[in-house]
Amino acid sequence: VIAVRDHTSLCAEKPVHFQVVFMSGSYYAWAGDESSRMDNLAFAIQTRFDEMPSSRELLAVRAADTAGHTMAKRLSKRMKQPVFLSVNVENADAAVMAFVERELLQVMLSARASNSAH
């Protein structure tokens, strides 16, 4: 079963777009601005070796960005599922990244809730 959720929110008066795909057993999440780029892709999954999920950057078009795979770890831990994550917001400071993570979490929880209702 697959559920897709699209969402747009304003952050500092700029639109940030979100897409979450909930598949049975994992999530794919993308967040970005008007450019609609996909410059990176991180993957995080819980292992039996550590309390925090393990993560790896799968795609890195720009310089390595630790914020994306760190966020993927936290989302994977919170959702208790593997997470593929791409965050592509230009000039994103810590406040913008925190906003993106909160919004993604809400969209992911919504996708999971509506999927379990079916």
Side-chain angles (χ1 to χ4, degrees), residues 37 39-40 57 60-65 90:
R37 295 184 332 266
D39 290 342
N40 61 61
E57 205 165 343
V61 174
R62 295 180 178 210
D65 176 20
E90 195 70 35

Side-chain angles (χ1 to χ4, degrees), residues 47-112:
T47 70
R48 61 186 169 136
F49 304 110
D50 197 347
E51 185 177 308
M52 277 304 282
S54 179
S55 70
R56 186 73 180 149
E57 205 165 343
L58 302 177
L59 171 67
V61 174
R62 295 180 178 210
D65 176 20
T66 59
H69 69 83
T70 302
M71 185 186 301
K73 283 182 176 186
R74 288 192 299 265
L75 291 170
S76 178
K77 183 173 178 73
R78 177 69 166 86
M79 301 306 297
K80 297 179 175 33
Q81 296 280 325
V83 171
F84 294 88
L85 175 66
S86 182
V87 178
N88 302 277
V89 180
E90 195 70 35
N91 301 319
D93 60 14
V96 172
M97 292 301 279
F99 169 82
V100 167
E101 187 169 346
R102 282 191 309 271
E103 290 292 310
L104 276 173
L105 181 59
Q106 290 305 311
V107 176
M108 292 168 89
L109 289 168
S110 170
R112 181 172 69 183

